[in-house]
Amino acid sequence: MECTDGVRPVLVTGGCGFIGAHLAGDLARRGHRVVVVDRAAGTDPVVESVRVDITRFDDCLEVIKEVDPLVVFHLAASSTIDSAFGDPHGSLTCNVGGTLNVLEAARTACTALSRFVLTSTDKVYGELVGDAYVEGSALDARGVYDVGKMSADTLVRLYGSEYGLPVSTLRLCNVVGPGDRNTGSRIVPRTLSRLFDPGGPLPPVIYAGSMSHGRDYVYVTDVVRALRTVAADPRARGEVFNMCPAAHRTTLELVAELIERAAAACAPHDPGRAAAIRRNGYEIVAERGMPRALRRQHCDDAKLRALGFRNSVSMAEALRLTIDSSLGARVLF
């Protein structure tokens, strides 16, 4: 997405979150005026930040009327499966009601909206049947997080078809990269937080029932590029796209790879920690009171590739960059 309007800004809901912060910073560096809407206070000096709870419609309407954005990137959401499972009402209020509020505010207050882009998820499809999800696959979400995102996905398509809002949706797979603070639930930051614990490396935790679960993974900067692509390409209006995965891994494969790569990254500076990381291996724990997890997920990415999009970061490079960032955030050496 190129900067074509130096006055009217781009608005990013959830712009203080993991993906949102990467997106907002990238857009600002490209010359856009970026306004971040988030419940948290923004800290990036290159973007404007407004504290708004998207579950409050009047607040959404006020900020969108004042900003009058050229593009809306909607990322604000209850963002983890565990948090949704623990607070279904709060999660659905945010993911369904909040999305409805942002859509309706954009419909009624934007004077010349170019695109409304939703970040959705491959979990809207439910359990994989066959080789890969395509965008026309049935939506069969079951869990709290999954159903909330499926509902938001459906609302965006409704506003596109019924009200003519210029919408596009990108259904993401699992995203890795620096700045993901969800160390309690997401497998990569959770694993690295234990491997690089300041008190000494701890064995990563794998839930017994998830060892063979298969997921697609992609690096965060490629997600940002894909979001810009669907925001700018005229062919993307009214369309839904699966994100291109960098690689597919089972949980066990991913944790084993993280252990080896983290040990290799430590070895030149702290061979003792590297040896301990390898020696510790991983710990298998029983699942108690956990949300139901999908066994297998994999996305067909032909539709996004047809727009000319290609990932630029391999899985190996994605993990290297993420591990290097985790190392840099801790005083180990």
Side-chain angles (χ1 to χ4, degrees), residues 206-215 249-252 295-296:
I206 305 177
Y207 296 115
S210 72
M211 295 177 68
S212 63
H213 288 176
R215 300 287 186 266
R249 296 283 190 275
T250 66
T251 303
L252 182 57
R295 293 186 300 275
R296 195 165 61 98

Side-chain angles (χ1 to χ4, degrees), residues 282-295:
Y282 53 82
E283 179 182 355
I284 301 172
V285 299
E287 297 171 90
R288 295 187 179 90
M290 300 291 294
R292 176 176 49 190
L294 300 172
R295 293 186 300 275

Side-chain angles (χ1 to χ4, degrees), residues 32-52:
H32 294 276
R33 178 187 163 212
V34 180
V35 178
V36 162
V37 169
D38 201 296
R39 285 186 298 184
T43 58
D44 190 337
V46 301
V47 304
E48 301 172 41
S49 182
V50 183
R51 295 188 71 172
V52 171

Side-chain angles (χ1 to χ4, degrees), residues 172-187:
L172 301 181
C173 53
N174 289 23
V175 184
V176 302
D180 188 350
R181 298 184 294 273
N182 288 286
T183 57
S185 56
R186 291 186 184 147
I187 185 67

Side-chain angles (χ1 to χ4, degrees), residues 95-322:
N95 290 357
V96 184
T99 299
L100 177 59
N101 287 343
V102 178
L103 281 166
E104 181 62 9
R107 183 184 76 85
T108 57
C110 289
T111 61
L113 185 68
S114 171
R115 194 65 51 88
F116 185 108
V117 180
L118 172 71
T119 55
S120 185
T121 172
D122 55 2
K123 290 177 174 55
V124 300
Y125 297 113
E127 193 64 58
L128 178 61
V129 177
D131 295 329
Y133 307 121
V134 296
E135 287 80 1
S137 296
L139 304 188
D140 192 29
R142 300 297 176 89
V144 177
Y145 173 83
D146 312 22
V147 168
K149 297 295 283 186
M150 181 179 71
S151 301
D153 191 307
T154 304
L155 283 169
V156 168
R157 287 180 287 126
L158 166 69
Y159 268 73
S161 61
E162 192 75 1
Y163 296 107
L165 208 67
V167 301
S168 298
T169 296
L170 183 65
R171 292 175 179 157
L172 301 181
C173 53
N174 289 23
V175 184
V176 302
D180 188 350
R181 298 184 294 273
N182 288 286
T183 57
S185 56
R186 291 186 184 147
I187 185 67
V188 172
R190 185 178 76 209
T191 297
L192 294 181
S193 72
R194 293 180 67 82
L195 295 177
F196 298 139
D197 187 275
L202 302 171
V205 170
I206 305 177
Y207 296 115
S210 72
M211 295 177 68
S212 63
H213 288 176
R215 300 287 186 266
D216 289 341
Y217 292 89
V218 67
Y219 192 62
V220 65
T221 58
D222 280 330
V223 170
V224 168
R225 290 177 50 247
L227 287 168
R228 294 199 327 260
T229 297
V230 300
D233 196 313
R235 296 171 294 176
R237 177 169 175 163
E239 298 293 334
V240 176
F241 300 88
N242 290 333
M243 182 63 209
C244 301
H248 186 84
R249 296 283 190 275
T250 66
T251 303
L252 182 57
E253 288 170 341
L254 179 63
V255 170
E257 187 171 356
L258 285 168
I259 288 171
E260 182 51 40
R261 290 185 179 277
C266 288
H269 309 281
D270 191 342
R273 177 178 285 268
I277 287 174
R278 291 189 173 105
R279 184 173 61 249
N280 286 345
Y282 53 82
E283 179 182 355
I284 301 172
V285 299
E287 297 171 90
R288 295 187 179 90
M290 300 291 294
R292 176 176 49 190
L294 300 172
R295 293 186 300 275
R296 195 165 61 98
Q297 297 184 267
H298 178 53
C299 284
D300 180 283
D301 61 4
K303 189 173 178 181
L304 185 57
R305 289 169 65 87
L307 297 183
F309 181 86
R310 301 290 187 276
N311 283 335
S312 63
V313 182
S314 68
M315 186 65 172
E317 182 69 359
L319 294 183
R320 185 190 70 77
L321 291 168
T322 306

